């Protein structure tokens, strides 16, 4: 055998995922559907938040959801109460969603019949950050019970997200949540990030966030028609 | 932990290159960004497992850590972040999200022999 030599290859390890994600994004754009993904730690309140989002948008908009979970279909059952189309992606042992799973799950859906599609990732603040799902907007959720420094502990996922949602605000006083400290943490790892503070349970703050989504949909469609 | 599937992706890419070039691969050089979302130690461990029963068995994974480099619009210069917990220019303190490096997850070279 000859002496080893170094050859340059330059291959992006996640290229396959990125290629599918790009194709999905183009598919979403041409169908005129605005796609929002949700990431958070387990128990931050993603499913309740999504249930309320679907229910409140539904009178005026056509909405649907994909839900990633390790083993159960409980979330899909809960979300089905909103009467919106919901499909569960059971990931088995995989701790995150990948673009190919989204593509497979959507293969028998007509995206042209939708205004909003929500993708709830597996509860995990580490692994989902590496995988583009073709979404238009990535929301990162943190509940007031998790502590103000959560963004500093998981800077990569907060940095990869577009918008932060602070949930379970009805418990803020009980846990002495320091809003300024939380905002400082978020802005340190993702300067300029828009933050919504709300309670899915009481509905306080939901209106402002839903108006934001509706505005995003309108902007996406305005750009798509140029 | 998604490092095992990442490691398998690295091995797949390297096996593909070795077959295309008709060479034996003894080491894989990887650029790993601080914002890639991949934990180096877990990846090193997973790499050995991912190599088993492939043409890459016994090969080495050499990781080059890539720090986060941002562009500071005030200094008009690229700057290395002191910490991924603070996206501000380390010189003037201006917050910036103009990330130029740090997301890399790239097999950039192979040590090969014929």
């Amino acid at each position: 055998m000859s002496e080893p030599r170094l050859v340059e290859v330059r291959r992006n390890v996640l290229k396959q995922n990125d290629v599918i994600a790009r194709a999905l994004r183009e598919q979403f754009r041409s169908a005129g559907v605005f796609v929002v993904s949700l990431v958070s730690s387990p128990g931050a309140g993603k499913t309740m938040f999504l249930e309320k989002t679907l229910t409140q948008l539904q009178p005026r908009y056509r909405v649907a959801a994909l839900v990633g979970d390790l083993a159960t279909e409980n979330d899909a059952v809960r979300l089905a109460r909103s009467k919106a189309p919901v499909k569960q992606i059971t990931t088995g042992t995989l701790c995150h969603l990948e673009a190919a799973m989204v593509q497979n799950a959507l293969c028998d859906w007509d995206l042209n019949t939708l205004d909003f599609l929500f993708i709830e990732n597996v509860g995990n603040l580490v692994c989902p950050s590496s995988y583009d799902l073709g979404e238009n907007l990535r929301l990162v959720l943190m509940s007031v019970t998790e502590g103000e420094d959560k963004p500093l502990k998981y800077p990569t996922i907060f940095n990869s997200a577009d918008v932060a949602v602070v949930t379970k605000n009805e418990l803020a006083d009980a846990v002495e949540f320091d809003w300024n400290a939380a905002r400082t943490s978020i802005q340190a790892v993702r300067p300029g990030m828009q933050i919504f503070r709300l309670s899915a349970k009481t509905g306080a703050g939901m209106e402002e966030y839903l108006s934001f989504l509706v505005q995003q949909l309108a902007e996406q469609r305005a750009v798509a028609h140029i | 932990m998604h490092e095992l599937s990442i490691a398998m992706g690295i091995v797949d890419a390297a096996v593909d290159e070795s077959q295309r070039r008709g060479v034996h691969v003894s080491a894989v050089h990887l650029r790993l960004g601080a914002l890639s979302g991949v934990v180096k130690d877990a990846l090193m461990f997973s790499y050995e497992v991912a190599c088993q029963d492939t043409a890459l068995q016994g090969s080495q994974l050499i990781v080059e850590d890539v720090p986060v480099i941002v562009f500071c619009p005030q200094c008009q210069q690229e700057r290395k972040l002191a910490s991924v917990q603070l996206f501000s220019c380390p010189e003037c303190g201006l917050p910036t999200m103009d990330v130029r490096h740090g997301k890399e997850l790239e097999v950039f070279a192979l040590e090969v022999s014929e």
Side-chain angles (χ1 to χ4, degrees):
Chain A
M1 218 180 260
S2 62
E3 278 295 300
R5 62 192 168 88
L6 202 63
V7 293
E8 196 175 285
V9 292
R10 293 192 159 268
R11 286 181 63 146
N12 175 1
V13 178
L14 292 173
K15 189 176 173 205
Q16 207 180 349
N17 186 79
D18 292 346
V19 166
I20 298 171
R22 262 202 299 277
L24 281 172
R25 192 166 281 117
E26 176 50 31
Q27 204 184 335
F28 298 151
R29 192 195 60 80
S30 67
V33 57
F34 192 76
V35 181
V36 182
S37 77
L38 280 67
V39 292
S40 81
S41 55
K46 275 191 305 304
T47 307
M48 163 81 99
F49 171 72
L50 186 52
E51 186 183 341
K52 293 296 169 77
T53 300
L54 295 173
T55 306
Q56 291 181 32
L57 281 175
Q58 213 171 20
R60 288 169 294 154
Y61 298 94
R62 299 163 300 171
V63 296
L66 295 179
V67 201
D69 203 346
L70 291 174
T72 73
E73 296 202 352
N74 296 352
D75 288 356
V77 172
R78 277 176 66 189
L79 290 172
R81 294 195 302 226
S82 69
K83 304 278 189 274
V86 175
K87 193 184 266 190
Q88 182 91 37
I89 305 175
T90 307
T91 60
T93 56
L94 209 59
C95 50
H96 59 273
L97 291 179
E98 296 187 9
M101 297 168 162
V102 172
Q103 195 176 44
N104 287 341
L106 290 177
C107 66
D108 56 352
W109 275 13
D110 181 5
L111 293 173
N112 290 300
T113 62
L114 292 177
D115 296 312
F116 287 104
L117 172 68
F118 294 87
I119 305 174
E120 182 183 333
N121 217 314
V122 180
N124 182 335
L125 280 178
V126 182
C127 310
S129 63
S130 305
Y131 297 89
D132 184 1
L133 302 178
E135 69 268 63
N136 301 105
L137 195 75
R138 184 181 283 187
L139 301 187
V140 60
L141 278 68
M142 62 179 270
S143 63
V144 297
T145 57
E146 290 173 69
E148 298 84 358
D149 59 350
K150 202 89 192 209
L152 301 178
K153 290 178 176 166
Y154 299 94
T156 303
I157 194 102
F158 275 83
N159 186 268
S160 79
D162 303 295
V163 171
V165 178
V166 178
T167 59
K168 305 191 188 179
N169 196 39
E170 76 279 8
L171 301 175
D173 288 344
V175 297
E176 295 178 358
F177 184 70
D178 184 341
W179 171 242
N180 282 331
R183 191 165 42 206
T184 304
S185 302
I186 293 169
Q187 296 298 334
V189 298
R190 178 64 162 96
M193 188 182 229
Q194 185 152 5
I195 309 170
F196 292 98
R197 184 181 181 185
L198 50 81
S199 165
K201 192 170 182 175
T202 67
M206 286 293 288
E207 194 55 45
E208 193 190 344
Y209 141 78
L210 292 171
S211 304
F212 168 78
L213 286 189
V214 168
Q215 188 194 336
Q216 294 288 309
L217 173 71
E219 280 174 20
Q220 187 216 33
R221 289 186 173 169
V223 170
H225 290 146
I226 284 169
Chain B
M1 148 134 173
H2 63 311
E3 279 75 8
L4 183 59
S5 62
I6 299 281
M8 287 164 76
I10 294 169
V11 172
D12 283 348
V15 166
D16 180 55
E17 288 289 338
S18 82
Q19 283 171 350
R20 241 165 25 86
R21 296 163 189 262
V23 292
H24 170 77
V25 175
S26 53
V28 175
H29 290 252
L30 182 82
R31 283 209 170 108
L32 185 62
L35 281 180
S36 66
V38 173
V39 179
K40 186 173 164 181
D41 287 346
L43 184 65
M44 298 300 277
F45 172 76
S46 302
Y47 182 77
E48 235 174 87
V49 179
C51 282
Q52 275 172 22
D53 302 323
T54 75
L56 268 285
Q57 188 154 357
S59 68
Q60 229 189 324
L61 179 66
I62 298 161
V63 177
E64 180 194 324
D65 293 304
V66 181
V68 182
I69 307 286
V70 295
F71 183 78
C72 173
Q74 192 152 281
C75 303
Q76 286 290 309
Q77 270 196 40
E78 289 192 352
R79 302 281 193 199
K80 184 170 127 184
L81 285 193
S83 150
V84 291
Q85 293 164 328
L86 189 60
F87 279 73
S88 296
C89 173
E91 296 296 323
C92 74
L94 190 79
T96 175
M97 269 298 291
D98 189 349
V99 176
R100 299 291 168 94
H101 293 285
K103 295 185 175 170
E104 290 84 351
L105 184 51
E106 180 192 49
V107 175
F108 77 92
L110 301 172
E111 275 172 40
V112 303
S113 49
E114 262 70 28

